[in-house]
Amino acid sequence: MDLDLLERTLAELGEPAYRTRQVWQWTAAGAASFEQMTNLPRRLRVALAEAVPFSTLTVEDEARASDGTVKVLLQTADGRPLEAVLMRYRDGRRSLCLSSQSGCPLTCTFCATGQMRFGRNLSAWEILDQALHFRRMTPVDHCVFMGMGEPLMNLDAVLAACRRLPDLGISSRHTAVSTVGWIPGIERLAAEALPLRLALSLHAASPELRSALMPVNDRYPLADVLAACERFYARKRRRIFVEYVMLKGVNDSVGQARELAAILDPTIFKVNLIPYNPTATGLEGSTPGAIAAFAAELERHGLGATVRLTRGREIAAACGQLAAGAARG
Ligand code: SAH
C-alpha cells in the first residue's frame, strides 16, 4: 500500500492524522481489505477502498511447491514484473525472499535476472507489498533481499522498507541484504543504525574468474569489496555470509576452495554454498559430491561452511526464473 497516497487521501477527507497509523497497523497485521478495519467508520472504509489501491502490486502467477515454498510473479502498476518467495522451514521459520528492482542492471552470467532487461528500482511500498502479500497468508519472521535486483543500488527504498518490516514481525536482525559487492552501499549500511545482516555474493576467489561470472568485479574488485566488508564487521560486529553458487567445472574444485579459504578471515566470514538452480544460461550445478568436498576443504582451513537447503526447485524459485520464463512465454 502506498502510505504516502493513503496519508494524502486521509488529509483530503479531513480525517485525523492517527488514521494512517490505524490503517497501517491493520495492514501490517495481515488484513486483506479496508473493509476488515473495524475501528474505522464504515463510510471511511468505503472511501478508502475507492481511492487507495490496497496493494501497489498485482499477482500475475503463483506457484506452490510440496515443501511449502510459495513463489509469486507480481506486477507493478506500470506493468513491471518482479518476484517474491515464501520459504517455510521445519523449525517453524517463515522466511521471505524479496526483490529490490524489476530486472537487474548487473549482468551476472549464471543469473536468470541478469539476462533480462533492467526495468527500474522498486519503491519502498512495492518492496513492502511483496512482504504484505505473504503476511496475509501466514505469520513471517525472516527476510532476505535475494530476489530480483541489487538492493544496494536502491538502498533508500530498501532501508525505508526495512524500517517497517518489524511491524510485520520481521526484525532487522532477521533481515539480510545480499549484494554483489556494491561498495558505496556496503559503506552506507555500515554507518546505518539498523542492525541488518550483510550477505556477499562472491562466487569466485580468482579475479579473472569472478570478472567473467560477475562483470561488476571490474568496477569493484574483490579485494576492495572484502576490505569494505571488514570495515562493516569492525563497525557492526555482525558476521558476513558469503554466498557461493556451485557451478560444475567452473568454480567448484578443491583447489578453488583452498583459494577461497585463503582470502576469507574466518572470524568475519561464513560461507554458504548454493546448489545452482539451472536456468537458460547453459551452466550446470555441481554434483553433491563436489559440493561436499568443497565444504570439507573450507572447514579444514577453519572456515565455517554450510550448504544451502534448496527450496522450491520444482517451481523454479531461483532468482529471476519465473519472470524470465514469463518473458520467454
Ligand atoms: N544482487 C544481489 C541479490 C540478488 S541474487 C546479489 O547478487 O547478491 C541473490 C543470490 O541468488 C545471489 O547470491 C545469486 O548469485 C544467487 N543466484 C542467482 N541465480 C541463481 C541460480 N540460478 N541458482 C542459485 N542461486 C542463484
Side-chain angles (χ1 to χ4, degrees):
M1 181 183 302
D2 181 337
L3 295 183
D4 294 327
L5 175 62
L6 174 74
E7 206 163 16
R8 280 199 306 277
T9 307
L10 287 167
E12 278 162 21
L13 292 168
E15 291 291 331
Y18 65 79
R19 293 285 188 218
T20 308
R21 203 167 51 244
Q22 283 180 315
V23 171
W24 172 246
Q25 275 166 358
W26 280 101
T27 309
S33 68
F34 289 109
E35 191 45 43
Q36 292 175 359
M37 304 180 182
T38 45
N39 57 350
L40 267 57
R42 156 140 288 137
R43 51 156 187 82
L44 177 59
R45 284 183 260 158
V46 172
L48 287 177
E50 273 170 23
V52 183
F54 200 73
S55 175
T56 58
L57 306 172
T58 51
V59 178
E60 296 297 300
D61 195 7
E62 187 184 86
R64 288 171 184 258
S66 49
D67 62 15
T69 303
V70 183
K71 173 156 183 166
V72 280
L73 175 61
L74 300 160
Q75 198 169 76
T76 62
D78 60 341
R80 308 288 189 173
L82 63 129
E83 307 166 336
V85 184
L86 162 72
M87 289 158 291
R88 304 177 214 240
Y89 292 93
R90 279 200 204 98
D91 62 6
R93 251 185 321 142
R94 299 279 180 272
S95 184
L96 303 180
C97 178
L98 305 182
S99 293
S100 53
Q101 300 179 312
S102 173
C104 184
L106 304 173
T107 51
C108 302
T109 54
F110 52 84
C111 177
T113 307
Q115 315 305 308
M116 291 173 59
R117 214 159 41 92
F118 175 58
R120 63 165 171 81
N121 279 339
L122 298 177
S123 70
W125 314 132
E126 289 165 340
I127 294 170
L128 276 174
D129 274 326
Q130 299 168 51
L132 288 167
H133 173 79
F134 293 116
R135 179 65 191 86
R136 293 192 278 275
M137 249 175 234
T138 172
V140 289
D141 48 32
H142 285 70
C143 161
V144 292
F145 281 88
M146 293 185 190
M148 295 171 92
E150 169 52 42
L152 296 190
M153 293 178 83
N154 185 20
L155 192 49
D156 288 330
V158 167
L159 288 176
C162 287
R163 288 198 184 92
R164 288 190 182 264
L165 283 175
D167 298 336
L168 280 69
I170 304 170
S171 69
S172 292
R173 292 191 172 277
H174 289 165
T175 301
V177 176
S178 176
T179 180
V180 295
W182 197 259
I183 292 177
I186 296 173
E187 286 171 346
R188 270 191 67 193
L189 264 193
E192 170 60 46
L194 291 180
L196 297 166
R197 203 173 252 298
L198 181 63
L200 171 68
S201 293
L202 199 152
H203 309 321
S206 108
E208 298 75 28
L209 179 57
R210 190 163 192 268
S211 285
L213 294 173
M214 308 175 70
V216 70
N217 191 61
D218 291 335
R219 176 159 179 176
Y220 296 122
L222 184 55
D224 299 349
V225 173
L226 293 178
C229 289
E230 284 161 18
R231 290 193 298 275
F232 176 94
Y233 180 80
R235 193 89 183 247
K236 310 286 267 190
R237 293 283 143 191
R238 302 215 70 201
R239 283 259 195 113
I240 294 155
F241 281 107
V242 164
E243 293 156 274
Y244 194 99
V245 84
M246 295 294 288
L247 300 166
K248 187 181 201 166
V250 175
N251 66 354
D252 65 349
S253 74
V254 168
Q256 285 164 320
R258 224 172 291 131
E259 269 185 78
L260 182 62
I263 59 168
L264 296 179
D265 177 343
T267 57
I268 300 181
F269 297 98
K270 271 184 72 169
V271 179
N272 198 212
L273 301 175
I274 311 178
Y276 184 57
N277 278 307
T279 69
T281 58
L283 291 160
E284 279 175 71
S286 306
T287 62
I291 297 177
F294 198 96
E297 186 65 15
L298 295 180
E299 295 276 5
R300 217 170 60 77
H301 288 82
L303 196 61
T306 50
V307 180
R308 180 171 297 174
L309 275 176
T310 299
R311 313 293 298 179
R313 176 168 280 192
E314 78 218 58
I315 56 168
C319 186
Q321 285 188 298
L322 258 197
R328 277 197 303 276

